[in-house]
């Protein structure tokens, strides 16, 4: 057992033995976390270090001291992952320090990043001819990095815009090359995806860009357009549906995704790129946006977001333990069906504006027929420990983000609440 005492300017950790996660707090210190540490049982094997053995305990989907967090990102993480990270925080695998304190060039971190990459490769079945990069700057930085790395300023590129993120991507790209919006759903408030055959693509375009899942509008590609450009390149922002279902990576030249929805905390962005596309970036490209530099240095050109990469690694391992992305997809389909059925079966009390065939499995926007009740809906839900249900400020209404880590029980609770709310207000 260890204890923390405080002095006016500092606090000292006494007889720190946090292997058990048990520590008492000084009454002066308003440290309420961890409320209670729970042992966790899933394994994390690393090539360089021995695994810390944890007593096995059944983790229930519904923990009394956690809310159901429907935020769009940063978003809820799997409880098992959080508990494992908690257990490993103070002294990672017996190496005497936390992952936050390790040199990114040391053997411990090397084993962490290599395992994270290898597990991601297994999960998505990423072919050998693709590189995996762990970068910084969010998906927003990739809006610039993609054209800077794949085009000259005179090159043309095609963008299919199905929501606000695709719109932001093309606006950034137009600073670095000649952009062409081949279709935009803006006039229909981004509720649709067009039939691919009807799309007029530029045969000279260097790539066709899509946003695979529009987080704000809840519009998701169920299939992908075949690029009709000379290079045959499709580029996708998969930030909000990354690792939510199997994807045939070989159909894409580049896939990029911020981690903070499905696979980790904010701070790391994953880029999967076909190796032959990693060539010379435009001359003015900042070094931090140059894929070649990051690829040559195995994502360690400068100090990477080590802890975020570690957390993603734990999530990848967890998703593999769930049975891989086919299983994950089945769970996501079940959750989404439950919620969409509740909306569609409400006799118009709730409405989802998105065309049924392209409704997102991840982000479910909905409105109330009596829009004046929306504030109350969000407030009442929060009282029942369901938080972050307010829609994006640009579209209003509600949005439930039900990423991989949202348990089925969370969606069931939301649906029950929606039915009660309707009964009270219909
Ligand atoms: N693309 C999509 C689909 C997103 O949902 C987001 C963030 N919500 C972004 C890009 C921007 O990501 P970041 O904030 O990490 O730059």
């Amino acid at each position: 057992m260890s204890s923390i005492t405080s002095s006016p300017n500092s606090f000292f950790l006494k007889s720190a033995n946090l292997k058990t996660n048990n520590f008492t707090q000084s009454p002066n210190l308003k440290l309420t976390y961890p409320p209670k540490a729970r042992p966790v049982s899933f394994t994390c094997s690393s090539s360089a270090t021995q695994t810390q053995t944890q007593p096995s305990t059944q983790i229930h989907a519904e923990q009394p001291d956690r809310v159901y967090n429907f935020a769009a990102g940063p978003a809820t993480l799997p409880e098992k992952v959080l508990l494992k990270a908690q257990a490993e925080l103070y002294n990672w695998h017996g190496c005497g320090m936390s992952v936050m304190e390790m040199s990114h060039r040391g053997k411990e971190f090397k084993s962490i990043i290599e395992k994270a990459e290898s597990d991601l490769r297994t999960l998505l079945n990423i072919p050998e001819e693709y590189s995996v990069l762990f970068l910084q700057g969010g998906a927003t930085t990739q809006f610039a990095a993609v054209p800077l790395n794949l085009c000259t300023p005179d090159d043309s590129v095609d963008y299919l815009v199905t929501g606000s993120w695709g719109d932001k991507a093309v606006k950034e790209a137009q600073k670095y090359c000649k952009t062409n919006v081949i279709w935009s759903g803006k006039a229909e408030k981004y509720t649709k995806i067009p039939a691919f055959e009807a799309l007029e693509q530029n045969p000279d375009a260097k790539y066709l860009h899509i946003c695979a899942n529009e987080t704000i509008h809840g519009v998701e590609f169920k299939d992908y357009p075949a690029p009709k450009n000379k290079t045959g390149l499709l580029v996708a922002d998969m930030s909000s549906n990354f690792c939510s279902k199997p994807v045939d990576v070989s159909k894409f030249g580049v896939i990029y995704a911020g981690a903070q929805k499905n696979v980790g905390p904010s701070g790391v962005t994953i880029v999967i790129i076909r190796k032959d596309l990693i060539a010379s970036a435009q001359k003015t490209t900042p070094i931090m946006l140059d894929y070649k530099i990051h690829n040559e240095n195995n994502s360690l050109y400068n100090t990477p977001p080590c802890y975020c990469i570690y957390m993603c690694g734990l999530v990848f391992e967890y998703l593999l333990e769930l049975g891989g992305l086919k299983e994950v997809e089945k769970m996501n389909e079940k959750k989404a069906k439950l919620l969409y059925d509740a909306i569609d079966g409400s006799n118009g009390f709730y409405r989802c504006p998105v065309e049924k065939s392209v409704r997102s499995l991840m982000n479910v926007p909905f409105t109330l027929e009596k829009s004046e009740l929306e504030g109350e809906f969000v407030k009442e839900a929060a009282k029942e420990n369901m938080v972050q249900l307010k829609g994006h400020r640009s579209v209003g209404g509600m949005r439930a983000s039900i990423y991989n880590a949202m348990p089925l029980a969370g969606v069931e609770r939301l649906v029950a609440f929606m039915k009660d709310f309707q009964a009270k207000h219909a």
Side-chain angles (χ1 to χ4, degrees):
M1 186 76 78
S2 59
S3 65
I4 294 172
T5 55
S6 67
S7 74
N9 301 316
S10 63
F11 66 82
F12 302 95
L13 202 56
K14 278 195 180 166
S15 70
N17 175 13
L18 295 182
K19 266 187 195 155
T20 58
N21 274 351
N22 252 333
F23 62 92
T24 51
Q25 294 160 17
S26 147
N28 305 333
L29 267 179
K30 293 265 183 288
L31 286 181
T32 52
Y33 189 81
K36 58 183 145 116
R38 294 183 204 90
V40 59
S41 67
F42 83 101
T43 54
C44 175
S45 52
S46 147
S47 51
T49 51
Q50 73 276 33
T51 305
Q52 186 178 325
T53 313
Q54 298 289 337
S56 160
T57 295
Q58 181 65 42
I59 304 292
H60 299 285
E62 194 165 353
Q63 297 288 359
D65 49 359
R66 301 237 324 144
V67 293
Y68 286 120
N69 176 9
F70 292 92
T76 191
L77 283 165
E79 284 174 352
K80 280 194 172 187
V81 166
L82 293 174
L83 293 170
K84 186 168 175 71
Q86 181 188 43
E88 294 186 337
L89 180 77
Y90 186 74
N91 182 355
W92 184 82
H93 291 208
C95 76
M97 58 185 142
S98 75
V99 175
M100 281 176 269
E101 300 161 296
M102 286 172 186
S103 164
H104 58 295
R105 311 224 177 263
K107 69 178 189 327
E108 291 88 0
F109 186 70
K110 191 164 175 282
S111 76
I112 288 172
I113 193 169
E114 283 176 0
K115 183 162 191 306
E117 176 176 338
S118 148
D119 282 352
L120 179 61
R121 283 185 176 278
T122 308
L123 269 177
L124 277 169
N125 202 10
I126 301 175
E128 245 323 288
E129 56 273 25
Y130 284 73
S131 283
V132 174
L133 306 175
F134 294 96
L135 306 179
Q136 298 185 63
T140 304
T141 301
Q142 295 309 310
F143 295 165
V146 166
L148 280 167
N149 280 273
L150 301 188
C151 304
T152 68
D154 293 328
D155 283 334
S156 299
V157 291
D158 283 348
Y159 278 70
L160 206 171
V161 177
T162 52
S164 299
W165 292 110
D167 184 51
K168 285 198 167 145
V170 70
K171 284 183 174 143
E172 184 69 356
Q174 72 195 11
K175 298 176 188 166
Y176 308 110
C177 59
K178 294 184 174 142
T179 53
N180 175 30
V181 174
I182 59 165
W183 188 88
S184 167
K186 193 169 183 183
E188 290 161 295
K189 298 193 171 161
Y190 296 127
T191 51
K192 290 189 175 139
I193 292 180
F196 300 148
E197 314 78 62
L199 292 173
E200 263 190 51
Q201 298 188 38
N202 174 2
D204 293 323
K206 265 287 172 92
Y207 61 78
L208 168 64
H209 181 282
I210 59 165
C211 176
N213 183 68
E214 282 286 351
T215 322
I216 295 173
H217 297 90
V219 173
E220 181 172 20
F221 282 81
K222 305 296 168 183
D223 194 7
Y224 302 103
K228 293 183 195 146
N229 50 54
K230 266 188 211 149
T231 53
L233 276 188
L234 182 61
V235 174
D237 173 359
M238 288 198 187
S239 293
S240 51
N241 64 354
F242 191 59
C243 288
S244 66
K245 58 185 177 182
V247 165
D248 181 355
V249 172
S250 69
K251 282 191 174 164
F252 298 85
V254 183
I255 291 170
Y256 61 91
Q260 69 269 24
K261 285 112 181 13
N262 262 326
V263 296
S266 59
V268 61
T269 308
I270 294 162
V271 173
I272 301 171
I273 178 165
R274 222 174 63 205
K275 287 177 182 162
D276 63 297
L277 300 174
I278 305 174
S280 304
Q282 289 186 25
K283 276 204 184 97
T284 53
T285 304
I287 203 154
M288 283 301 290
L289 272 60
D290 191 331
Y291 292 150
K292 194 158 176 255
I293 294 285
H294 291 296
N295 188 53
E296 282 169 359
N297 291 279
N298 300 319
S299 305
L300 298 173
Y301 171 71
N302 73 326
T303 318
C306 299
Y307 200 79
C308 299
I309 294 169
Y310 157 75
M311 286 297 289
C312 289
L314 293 187
V315 173
F316 298 149
E317 188 175 71
Y318 171 74
L319 296 179
L320 285 171
E321 286 194 10
L322 288 181
L325 297 186
K326 273 202 183 120
E327 289 307 309
V328 171
E329 182 182 34
K330 277 188 214 156
M331 292 181 222
N332 286 332
E333 281 172 344
K334 193 169 174 187
K335 288 183 287 177
K337 183 172 182 330
L338 194 63
L339 189 46
Y340 285 118
D341 282 354
I343 294 167
D344 293 340
S346 70
N347 287 326
F349 187 82
Y350 300 106
R351 284 200 179 127
C352 171
V354 181
E355 195 177 271
K356 282 193 178 165
S357 62
V358 295
R359 284 177 171 179
S360 169
L361 292 188
M362 301 281 99
N363 311 97
V364 181
F366 57 98
T367 53
L368 278 175
E369 192 182 21
K370 299 178 183 167
S371 58
E372 68 280 7
L373 290 176
E374 286 174 356
E376 189 179 335
F377 180 96
V378 172
K379 257 196 219 152
E380 291 298 314
K383 280 189 201 155
E384 296 196 21
N385 285 341
M386 289 172 283
V387 302
Q388 298 288 334
L389 281 161
K390 197 169 184 308
H392 190 270
R393 59 191 181 279
S394 64
V395 293
M398 272 79 66
R399 172 178 50 171
S401 293
I402 50 173
Y403 298 120
N404 291 348
M406 172 58 64
L408 178 63
V411 180
E412 286 169 344
R413 170 95 76 90
L414 176 61
V415 165
F417 169 80
M418 287 166 74
K419 290 188 174 155
D420 279 355
F421 189 85
Q422 180 173 359
K424 267 190 222 151
H425 297 284

